Amino acid sequence: MKDIIDLLGRVFLSAMFLYEAYDSIYYFQRTKNTMTEYGITWNQDMLLSGAIFLLLVGGIMLLIGYRVTLASIFLLIYYVPITFIIHSWWNKPVPLQREIAIDFMQNMAIVGGLLLLIGRGSGRYSIKRLFATTRVPRKYR
């Protein structure tokens, strides 16, 4: 049961990151406009392309269970700074602070999930495990 829960956790986490990558690609210009609203004006194309790369590669690696620690680090490199920039509830007016603080805490929970993956690994159902347990027939070695 633990192995299935590990797999489902990876699938749900990766789905979020892969969707975010898709959304950033599909709405590239709108995403750049949002970056400008939050004061991220330095080399937007490079930053957005780098974010999309981290989201896609990290999300796919997480989904298939290959090098989950590296994938989690990729996603943390993206997610931690974005969380502190976008959901900085302490800089918002008092009526909005509660709502934005909830979003901030949700993102911190996702960061916690990625840290758990770094500590626990990919689990039994992963490409890494499949490669480690598959034997190549003698005639193909």
Side-chain angles (χ1 to χ4, degrees):
M1 187 68 172
K2 174 194 163 302
D3 299 324
I4 293 173
I5 291 172
D6 285 344
L7 174 64
L8 286 174
R10 281 196 347 259
V11 167
F12 288 134
L13 268 175
S14 67
M16 185 194 67
F17 293 116
L18 292 172
Y19 178 77
E20 195 166 344
Y22 159 77
D23 187 70
S24 295
I25 293 168
Y26 193 76
Y27 298 106
F28 195 84
Q29 189 57 46
R30 248 192 249 175
T31 305
K32 283 176 52 176
N33 293 341
T34 303
M35 290 170 68
T36 303
E37 289 175 20
Y38 284 99
I40 305 169
T41 56
W42 179 80
N43 214 344
Q44 287 182 333
D45 288 331
M46 182 196 71
L47 289 175
L48 186 52
S49 297
I52 291 168
F53 172 80
L54 290 172
L55 287 167
L56 275 177
V57 172
I60 290 169
M61 289 170 66
L62 195 64
L63 178 65
I64 64 174
Y66 181 73
R67 296 198 160 210
V68 170
T69 299
L70 181 62
S72 296
I73 290 170
F74 280 175
L75 296 169
L76 286 170
I77 288 171
Y78 165 77
Y79 221 65
V80 170
I82 287 301
T83 297
F84 280 94
I85 292 169
I86 303 297
H87 301 296
S88 57
W89 55 271
W90 51 89
N91 290 330
K92 304 296 182 189
V94 175
L96 293 175
Q97 282 184 353
R98 181 173 174 263
E99 181 181 330
I100 296 171
I102 290 170
D103 293 336
F104 178 85
M105 292 303 163
Q106 288 173 346
N107 283 10
M108 286 293 103
I110 293 166
V111 167
L114 290 170
L115 291 172
L116 280 172
L117 280 172
I118 289 173
R120 292 179 56 122
S122 60
R124 183 175 179 191
Y125 299 119
S126 66
I127 293 293
K128 179 182 176 184
R129 176 83 177 213
L130 180 69
F131 286 153
T133 59
T134 303
R135 294 186 183 231
V136 178
R138 185 173 285 276
K139 65 181 179 179
Y140 295 114
R141 291 186 206 174

